[in-house]
Amino acid sequence: MELTEIADVEIDTLLDAIRRRYDYDFSQYARSSLKRRINGLLIKERLDMPYQLIPRILYDEEVFNRFLSELSVTVTEMYRDPEFFLDIVKSIFPVLETYPYFKIWHAGCATGEEAYSLAILLKEAGLLNRAKIYATDYNNKSIDIAKQGIYSAENIELSKSSYLKSGGKHDFSDYYTDHFEAIKFNDELKKSITFAYHNLVKDGVFGEMNLIICRNVFIYFDKELQDYVLNLFNESATSKGFLCLGNKETIRFSMLKDKYNILSESNSIYRKKA
Ligand SMILES: C[S@@+](CC[C@H](N)C(=O)[O-])C[C@H]1O[C@@H](n2cnc3c(N)ncnc32)[C@H](O)[C@@H]1O
């Protein structure tokens, strides 16, 4: 057996231990990024080999939590890719306007900025009171931050400019209060979103969603897991529901591609056929 194959056995054994102990299954995460992240954790834990992580993770939940933090890349920002939000305002809002009530699911929402970004645009379009917004992630620490709706003010100038580029019509500061180095979103926005734990690998369908947004999550999955999660979304979406992926993600290579019309290739916005 080659050394690289032995290293793969080590990683498989580590992932199996994690699945059995904590019920998190990473076996279908893209191998190259998984290896990079395991290496990152090894350096932080001052260990040399993946097998040394096994007893640490099995007996110490804190080490597992650090593993999870290393793996769930929670990088996000307000109005990330403004042209995506502008596209939603222009091509999806006019359809949502025709519904008396609609449901939106942000899957893999990290610390929640994406959900607050959309809630503000819905409010400006007079649609927020018709929307039920669910925002989910498998990282409980991120979900706790999202629920609080308090963020560092460090990037506020970028947020303001991205808000305007996304079709924002007012002053971004109308939606939060300043708290020294932080901003806190208004209660009306916080109340409009239900933040919850949901693991795309093992948890079930979220029923009857008119719009599903899952950006910058598929890049961490292998092809089989991507197909599995796309099926989950397909089952969760209403007939003629919208599906939005990140700009590096596509349904083009999936079995489901013929069930969707492409609304925007560059922003990966699709609409389920009737
Ligand atoms: C890079 S962030 C993307 C955040 C946001 N959607 C955006 O585009 O700005 C990826 C998120 O996917 C989440 N994630 C990864 N695997 C997941 C899974 N199996 N179930 C739910 N969330 C997952 C991570 O915890 C992380 O918060």
Side-chain angles (χ1 to χ4, degrees):
M1 212 182 212
E2 303 262 326
L3 265 179
T4 50
E5 287 173 275
I6 297 176
D8 274 337
V9 173
E10 238 183 274
I11 289 177
D12 286 344
T13 314
L14 169 65
L15 298 185
D16 192 43
I18 289 171
R19 187 182 51 75
R20 292 171 66 183
R21 169 77 169 84
Y22 297 103
D23 203 17
Y24 273 84
D25 186 355
F26 295 105
S27 59
Q28 291 180 297
Y29 276 56
R31 266 295 152 122
S32 50
S33 92
L34 192 68
K35 281 181 181 167
R36 267 200 313 279
R37 301 197 184 282
I38 291 175
N39 280 334
L41 185 65
L42 286 174
I43 292 167
K44 286 184 190 154
E45 300 292 320
R46 294 165 194 231
L47 299 171
D48 298 318
M49 305 290 283
Y51 78 87
Q52 294 170 310
L53 274 173
I54 296 173
R56 298 271 185 113
I57 285 184
L58 283 180
Y59 293 107
D60 187 345
E61 197 164 345
E62 269 315 301
V63 182
F64 171 67
N65 287 335
R66 292 202 284 276
F67 176 88
L68 192 60
S69 298
E70 193 73 34
L71 241 90
S72 61
V73 185
T74 56
V75 179
T76 185
E77 64 187 43
M78 292 299 296
Y79 300 100
R80 182 179 194 174
D81 309 316
E83 64 285 3
F84 164 77
F85 285 94
L86 192 59
D87 223 348
I88 292 206
V89 171
K90 286 191 174 156
S91 55
I92 299 184
F93 278 16
V95 178
L96 297 181
E97 246 167 39
T98 64
Y99 301 149
Y101 169 83
F102 54 87
K103 292 205 275 182
I104 299 175
W105 178 18
H106 290 268
C109 70
T111 38
E113 286 88 331
E114 187 182 74
Y116 285 108
S117 300
L118 191 65
I120 289 171
L121 296 174
L122 285 165
K123 183 171 165 49
E124 292 186 358
L127 294 173
L128 189 60
N129 53 3
R130 293 194 225 169
K132 182 80 204 137
I133 307 172
Y134 300 91
T136 62
D137 202 281
Y138 79 161
N139 184 323
N140 275 320
K141 273 194 189 158
S142 300
I143 288 294
D144 286 344
I145 294 171
K147 278 181 185 164
Q148 286 175 18
I150 301 173
Y151 299 97
S152 159
E154 202 182 341
N155 296 322
I156 199 69
E157 290 311 319
L158 174 66
S159 303
K160 284 180 181 173
S161 126
S162 300
Y163 157 77
L164 292 174
K165 286 185 198 157
S166 300
K169 295 191 192 114
H170 296 282
D171 193 330
F172 186 55
S173 58
D174 291 348
Y175 300 103
Y176 61 81
T177 46
D178 275 307
H179 291 259
F180 305 104
E181 307 284 280
I183 62 158
K184 183 171 184 236
F185 280 117
N186 299 346
D187 282 344
E188 185 195 5
L189 290 178
K190 281 172 39 176
K191 277 187 206 143
S192 69
I193 311 166
T194 303
F195 288 103
Y197 172 92
H198 181 279
N199 186 342
L200 292 165
V201 176
K202 67 181 178 73
D203 294 326
V205 163
F206 253 62
E208 296 295 294
M209 292 292 151
N210 301 93
L211 167 60
I212 298 174
I213 300 175
C214 182
R215 300 191 306 146
N216 305 302
V217 180
F218 274 33
I219 39 174
Y220 301 104
F221 297 167
D222 71 11
K223 170 83 175 67
E224 210 177 313
L225 184 54
Q226 289 180 6
D227 283 343
Y228 170 82
V229 176
L230 275 177
N231 264 313
L232 183 78
F233 290 157
N234 188 47
E235 283 170 33
S236 303
T238 53
S239 162
K240 293 186 137 191
F242 296 94
L243 172 64
C244 306
L245 303 177
N247 54 19
K248 291 178 223 69
E249 298 154 321
T250 177
I251 60 167
R252 210 181 319 143
F253 307 110
S254 116
M255 309 263 278
L256 289 174
K257 69 175 192 312
D258 296 332
K259 294 189 186 244
Y260 286 78
N261 290 315
I262 302 173
L263 298 194
S264 161
E265 185 90 54
S266 57
N267 289 317
S268 299
I269 301 180
Y270 309 97
R271 188 168 194 195
K272 194 170 163 178
K273 293 178 184 169

